[in-house]
Amino acid sequence: MTITYTLDVSKSRFSSFGKLLLRWRGSLWKSVYRELFFWLAMYSMLSCSYRLLLNDEQKIVFENISEFCYKYTDFIPLTFILGFFVSLVVNRWWDMFNNIGWIDNIALYIAAYIEGVEDDVRMTRRNIIRYLVLVQAMVFRDISPPIRLRFPTMNSMQEAGFLSQTDIAALDSVESPHAKYWLPIHWAMMLISKAREGGHMKNDGMVMDLYNRLREYRIGLNALCCYDWVPVPLVYTQVVFLTVRFYFLLALMGRQYITTERNLNVKSPIDLYFPVVTVIQFLFYMGWMKVAEALLNPFGSDEDDFEVNYLLDRNLQVGMTIVDGAIGSLPDQEKDQFWH
Amino acid sequence: MTITYTLDVSKSRFSSFGKLLLRWRGSLWKSVYRELFFWLAMYSMLSCSYRLLLNDEQKIVFENISEFCYKYTDFIPLTFILGFFVSLVVNRWWDMFNNIGWIDNIALYIAAYIEGVEDDVRMTRRNIIRYLVLVQAMVFRDISPPIRLRFPTMNSMQEAGFLSQTDIAALDSVESPHAKYWLPIHWAMMLISKAREGGHMKNDGMVMDLYNRLREYRIGLNALCCYDWVPVPLVYTQVVFLTVRFYFLLALMGRQYITTERNLNVKSPIDLYFPVVTVIQFLFYMGWMKVAEALLNPFGSDEDDFEVNYLLDRNLQVGMTIVDGAIGSLPDQEKDQFWH
Amino acid sequence: MTITYTLDVSKSRFSSFGKLLLRWRGSLWKSVYRELFFWLAMYSMLSCSYRLLLNDEQKIVFENISEFCYKYTDFIPLTFILGFFVSLVVNRWWDMFNNIGWIDNIALYIAAYIEGVEDDVRMTRRNIIRYLVLVQAMVFRDISPPIRLRFPTMNSMQEAGFLSQTDIAALDSVESPHAKYWLPIHWAMMLISKAREGGHMKNDGMVMDLYNRLREYRIGLNALCCYDWVPVPLVYTQVVFLTVRFYFLLALMGRQYITTERNLNVKSPIDLYFPVVTVIQFLFYMGWMKVAEALLNPFGSDEDDFEVNYLLDRNLQVGMTIVDGAIGSLPDQEKDQFWH
Amino acid sequence: MTITYTLDVSKSRFSSFGKLLLRWRGSLWKSVYRELFFWLAMYSMLSCSYRLLLNDEQKIVFENISEFCYKYTDFIPLTFILGFFVSLVVNRWWDMFNNIGWIDNIALYIAAYIEGVEDDVRMTRRNIIRYLVLVQAMVFRDISPPIRLRFPTMNSMQEAGFLSQTDIAALDSVESPHAKYWLPIHWAMMLISKAREGGHMKNDGMVMDLYNRLREYRIGLNALCCYDWVPVPLVYTQVVFLTVRFYFLLALMGRQYITTERNLNVKSPIDLYFPVVTVIQFLFYMGWMKVAEALLNPFGSDEDDFEVNYLLDRNLQVGMTIVDGAIGSLPDQEKDQFWH
Amino acid sequence: MTITYTLDVSKSRFSSFGKLLLRWRGSLWKSVYRELFFWLAMYSMLSCSYRLLLNDEQKIVFENISEFCYKYTDFIPLTFILGFFVSLVVNRWWDMFNNIGWIDNIALYIAAYIEGVEDDVRMTRRNIIRYLVLVQAMVFRDISPPIRLRFPTMNSMQEAGFLSQTDIAALDSVESPHAKYWLPIHWAMMLISKAREGGHMKNDGMVMDLYNRLREYRIGLNALCCYDWVPVPLVYTQVVFLTVRFYFLLALMGRQYITTERNLNVKSPIDLYFPVVTVIQFLFYMGWMKVAEALLNPFGSDEDDFEVNYLLDRNLQVGMTIVDGAIGSLPDQEKDQFWH
């Protein structure tokens, strides 16, 4: 579900910062608390062992390992790679969102170009909309697990009203080893062509204009498939995810509070028992990485993922209303207040 | 309100830098002074306690905590994450601004394509403009608190002349569970279609061209909705805002002037009482973050937010003037000065 | 004036580097020499005081302050914020340049579409060009101080031939509380429409095509106004400009050559009297910042600013030549050298 | 072969991270294991020599070299240059992918515009598709070694059905010292022109629209050629690749576990025998660089390279199905479930 | 000449890395070897002086200067500024390349739209191409020294067949104080207009479509002029180029091998005589800067510069072949292999 918090930041103020922090859904807290508790548990175990269980000789080994880890965490330049990686992922994510497909544009054009209130014209208009949303549903089924879950089979989509039994038969009648996302688009184009032949459209330019709208819509959906097919190279993702985890593995030992007389860099001026700063770092780095993790595939079921289910239903409903429900709703024209 | 200071920097000079700094509205000073005073108050309290209240033993603890904080502020890489985050936010902000919707283009086209000076043609032209500004107002109402405040109800919009009683009735007559931003666009398209049928437009190509202008306008407003619906992921925002605040929480202790004989890193060569450099850092980091905070939702009421109220009124006025007031203003054609 | 040095770098060579450095106009040297001399004067004063005037006790205070400044300049991450800020400013600057408005495209179209050599057709063509350059001049007057200086009143524009007395009257006759940049565009559209009605254009498609060219031109000029109206948020600019200055304020003390027996970090291995490296840093950081400062408003009178005055005159001259002077210049068609 | 792992990251969870790491194909592990083993072998040899073979004097030299290397690895700023370089390469890579050429759009248009079920119309439609895929195959042959391997000669392409003997003869009949990618496009345009003359297309606008689709397709393929012709400047690539390798050459000595009494920076608190952190760094930096290396030419045979072979076959098959197999597949129009 | 090495990196392998490194043309080695030898010569001279010529007192001064330089090289943040600068330059470079102008698109359109095999139609088609390439040649002459060298006068262009004596006369007959790049475009438009009047084009839409292609071509060439007219601000370039040089000037002293008993930071654990790491840094930073230096003006005669000479000839040849040589090359239509 998309997490909208725009209202909270409409005014940059002290309180708005508080409201922002205290959210739970889609928040930093929710996304890292499991890892953080796990890390803290490990940290405590090591800390307790060091303080209570180990003898002096073992303590020295422990301290040496700690010193070693402390010294070498510096060699891992997390900030940079996270910065570049998150930049890349955020760009892809937003580009995907821009291609997600709104029906409104096409619907408005269909309503304007294909005129008539007879049943067959209404059917034409409605079915074009239906076919377009059907393509979207077919694409989403292949790239989004929640949609796949909702529509495990074509029949489940039929029950939801996205297509009829006849449509399924027609879909199956065309043989192709490849995905048939283009077929309903083809049908929509055929319907438009027929509407022109039936005299419901004024001229060929409008046919071509409609085709163009369909093309834009299809290109958007195709882009989604491409983003799904060719993700950020696996090596890149692995490098980033691994490095962050390894950093905090080293930090498990390197950030222990060492109470020794020896002159070590790792020695802290005070023993706070709780690794305050490292927890902050954990929130910081893990949070930043979680941003990337959640946005890598925004068609999943993370909290920040796009609400594709909602979008499908909305597109069908709004599309139908535009091409059928709003025909003739134009109010009588009156002079406006500023008329002179 | 937008803060324009372009004139001050038209020449890069010493004095222009001064003028830039001495502004108050929309300035760094105004945006951070509250936090800065609060921070300084906390800092002074701690500083006074250390100097006046604590006994020697307590002082040592205080110094240790200070040393601890001093050492660990280094672990928080503010600059980087702020750089990447502000980059992202600034890009979104400018993209929103580019989609904010100017009526001029469409109005010029309407004035050129829909010809005639009879009342009904004038009404058609004026009402198309009105419907388009109405959509903008409807969208702004949903994404901008100041506009929501100005137009709490549809009736308040009617009083402002954006729509008539008949329009409200027509709006309500179309049933849809979703926002009806598309409806006035639909009406505008119907009006254009009628104008063509009534012979006030020369050919169908012009109808299609006008539709295209409307589409661009609508796409821009739709983009605004999308930016509002899907903000920068909450986790990212929280990570950045939290880290900056935590940094200065650590700095409260870590930048105290410590007057001890012990060999500590935190010990300053001189005791200036006032934390000069940290205040500079505060201005720097908090200021940078405030940029992001203010731009996150540019439709709010921050000083740097877009002047949407002004834009709505301007669009209505300018639109009306173009399609109605300026018709026939073409001066008599004369030979220019360079004629030969 | 724009500083073009492209020829010097057409070949990457040793000598080309020299030529690049030895320029004065628009150069690093010219843009920072004043600040640098000022800084060096301050530095010398402090340096002399330390060496000649202060007694031992005062020297110790001086050294402590110097040590303090030396230590804390590290806390100001200039490079990063400058990198991101200059990136942003350079992008805006180039985008402005891309929208600056060349008349050639439209003029070529007008010459091709509006046919005829009679006086009234020639007048139509010439006046369309004049109106378009007029809009540009009006916009530039509002965003560029040099143009405002050149054209303080509408009458001064009339003298320069951008508009006639009749045009001024027509401009004034349309009442609007807002800038009327759209009005000459409106006139140009009317003229095109009349040309079509008068039979000087072949079909309506060409009218629409010309309108489209006008629209692109207008959008570019509108973008310039937007860039002027909504600059980089003031806070951001202030943060950057202030930080750089403050850095060198600290460096005034922090980079003094300290000749003490005490063990200080600030102590330099040798006393060079002249702060070589800091001067380099000064050139580097101030120069980098000057890039941003000059590009923030490229319509000013800095040396690197766009030559808008030249552009206006050029647009008018070239536009007139294209639509009027070059008509009929097509050479007789001959077979080319490679004909076979 | 493209490595798709989008499903694994559809939900950001602990387990999804595990699944991501444990992949082999296209993974970090697979891309660096050879270099890593080689590096470890060298490291061990040096390590064993130091521990077992060298006498005390030699050990001191060894330790000095090690200290030297340890100290100077800091001077090589890998992270930054890798960040910028990978950014650049990833952008180019994605842009290439966007231009790779999908036949669907054009095919849908051809199916809609060129009407008729007679053999010659079907042949026209099919041959246009074939010519377009042929251009793609010709381009891919020149930029992609795997395709060159699959189609060493024109005759091998004929066998695969991309072109006929007549086509090859016609191709050869046009003399040009330059690549003839444009020729099949030219033929496709001729076929469209003929189809219009033969009355199979409704109007000239559709001809122009189809030409426009062809143009977009051709521009994409031309972009691929350009990317192949003008790669990232060689110097840049060499700098990056060399620096990374040199870094780990220094690390061979600089990260040895030194067991000396002397006060050296390189001395580790503990002797782990295995260079844990450096191996992590190796994975990190080499992995990051491998991303760039693999994406530099995405038309090669790396695991992350585009599946151009698949694309060619798919384009031919899907294209044929759209323009020929799906004609007449439009299901009978029925009222949808939501009809009222 | 463009350096293409794409084939070497089609597979990311050990050997491909070797092949990449061992190139000479356009390589890192070739671009920095002169500077490197010069630097090494200076370094050796200083090194020999220190070791052989100086007495003990002078050595101490030398060591102090060396220590000073060693300490202060850290203050120059090369990596960052180079990263941002190279990013900017690479973007501009690629954008220039994208606007360089390929004739194929227009030629294909001309071949399709202007029909006929009579001499005058062929002449029209050929001359349009010639005029377009002529514009390109005129623009390249002004921005590219190698082209200027090839065509010092208009007559030399005539000899190369780009224009005829009549054309030169016609060019000269139009008076304008500004560059006349638009004139051949104007002629091409006139020719198209005449072709339509002569009945060789089917409708006005095609005329407009061709104009549009010409416009795109002209906009690209105009962009090249703009990039030439308004380069990266000189200050920016100077800052970057100067800083890199100054860094290595400091390194001349700061990286000397100092053999002293005194406790200096600059002291190296071992004396290698040859400054290995600094040479690596030299390759790294100078190489990176050379990338920027070579790409700043890609129309020069560096090895990585665009092959504009080749492009001009190619455009003329390919353009002529498309509009004249390939007319009628369409093979007889046959059923394809997959027909069923």
Side-chain angles (χ1 to χ4, degrees), chain D residues 35 38 61 64-65 67-68 71-72 75-77 80-81 84 88 92 95 119 122-124 126-127 130-131 145 158-161 163-164 166-167 170 173-178 182-183 185-187 189-191 193-194 197 204 207-208 211-212 215 218-219 222 226-239 241-243 245-246 250 290 293-294 296-297 300-302 305 316 320 324, chain E residues 2-7 9-14 16-17 20-21 23 25-29 31 70 79-80 83-84 86-87 90 93-94 97 102 104-105 108-109 111-113 115 202-203 205-206 209 213 216 247 255 257 265-270 272 276-277 280-281 283-285 287-288 291 295 304 306-307 310 314 317-318 321-322 326-327 329-340:
Chain D
E35 272 96 344
F38 183 74
V61 174
N64 281 342
I65 299 180
E67 176 80 3
F68 176 85
K71 183 178 173 188
Y72 280 103
F75 284 81
I76 304 176
F80 241 123
I81 202 173
F84 279 108
L88 173 66
R92 285 176 67 98
D95 207 30
D119 264 18
R122 284 182 59 203
M123 210 150 61
T124 297
R126 291 178 72 99
N127 282 346
R130 204 161 47 73
Y131 288 150
Q158 184 211 333
E159 278 156 33
L163 76 178
S164 70
T166 337
D167 297 334
S173 76
V174 173
E175 276 168 47
S176 176
H178 305 282
W182 51 270
L183 194 48
I185 302 274
H186 181 67
W187 294 344
M189 289 172 93
M190 292 298 107
L191 284 180
S193 177
K194 274 180 194 292
E197 275 160 25
D204 286 348
V207 173
M208 288 160 61
Y211 286 179
N212 206 14
R215 187 175 65 92
R218 212 198 68 80
I219 285 178
N222 190 42
C226 287
Y227 274 114
D228 185 68
W229 189 40
V230 179
V232 177
L234 179 59
V235 178
Y236 204 170
T237 314
Q238 283 182 331
V239 162
F241 285 10
L242 205 67
T243 311
R245 259 87 179 195
F246 187 80
L250 280 188
K290 288 286 172 185
E293 221 169 293
L296 258 184
N297 184 1
S301 47
D302 283 324
D305 287 343
L316 198 58
M320 291 302 188
D324 200 24
Chain E
T2 315
I3 305 301
T4 304
Y5 60 96
T6 332
L7 226 64
V9 291
S10 72
K11 189 140 180 44
S12 114
R13 249 183 320 199
F14 227 72
S16 74
F17 169 65
L20 214 61
L21 278 199
R23 284 162 158 272
R25 285 197 36 254
S27 76
L28 173 59
W29 321 115
S31 61
Y70 179 83
T79 341
F80 242 123
F84 280 107
V86 169
S87 261
V90 165
W93 165 76
W94 192 250
F97 182 64
W102 300 91
D104 311 38
N105 257 334
L108 284 167
Y109 267 80
Y113 282 163
E115 294 168 286
K202 287 218 186 77
N203 64 43
M206 289 174 173
D209 210 14
R213 294 290 88 71
E216 286 165 4
Y247 182 87
R255 300 294 169 74
Y257 291 99
N265 288 314
V266 72
K267 220 167 65 181
S268 168
I270 41 164
L272 290 176
V276 188
V277 176
I280 296 292
Q281 276 194 303
L283 289 174
F284 176 79
Y285 284 122
W288 209 4
V291 174
L295 301 187
D304 251 319
F306 305 143
E307 300 186 57
Y310 162 79
R314 183 218 171 266
Q317 290 164 8
V318 167
T321 316
I322 294 178
I327 298 291
S329 71
L330 180 66
D332 294 335
Q333 294 305 298
E334 300 167 347
K335 293 187 179 171
D336 56 86
Q337 288 186 15
F338 314 103
W339 187 277
H340 55 92

Side-chain angles (χ1 to χ4, degrees), chain D residues 251-313:
Chain D
L252 268 185
M253 284 303 291
R255 301 294 170 74
Q256 293 288 346
Y257 290 98
I258 299 298
T259 51
T260 178
E261 296 301 301
R262 295 157 67 211
N263 179 24
L264 295 175
N265 287 315
V266 71
K267 219 167 66 182
S268 170
I270 41 164
D271 184 352
L272 291 176
Y273 299 96
F274 186 78
V276 188
V277 176
T278 316
V279 165
I280 296 292
Q281 276 195 304
F282 199 95
L283 289 174
F284 176 79
Y285 284 123
M286 287 301 265
W288 209 5
M289 198 198 60
K290 288 286 172 185
V291 175
E293 221 169 293
L295 301 188
L296 258 184
N297 184 1
F299 293 98
S301 47
D302 283 324
E303 294 203 313
D304 250 321
D305 287 343
F306 304 144
E307 300 185 59
V308 276
N309 257 316
Y310 161 79
L311 186 76
L312 279 183
D313 296 332

Side-chain angles (χ1 to χ4, degrees), chain A residues 9 22 38-39 47 55 83 88 103 113 133 142-143 161 163 185-186 207 216 223 233 275 279 282 297 336:
Chain A
V9 290
L22 291 179
F38 184 73
W39 188 87
S47 186
N55 61 26
L88 173 66
I103 203 75
Y113 282 162
V133 183
D142 283 359
I143 65 177
L163 75 178
I185 301 275
H186 182 67
V207 173
E216 286 165 5
V279 165
F282 198 96
N297 183 1
D336 56 86

Side-chain angles (χ1 to χ4, degrees), chain C residues 5 28 80 203 317 333-334, chain E residues 127 166 178 204 232 237-238:
Chain C
Y5 61 94
L28 173 59
F80 241 123
N203 64 43
Q317 290 165 8
Q333 295 304 298
E334 302 167 346
Chain E
N127 282 346
T166 337
H178 305 281
D204 287 348
V232 176
T237 313
Q238 283 183 329

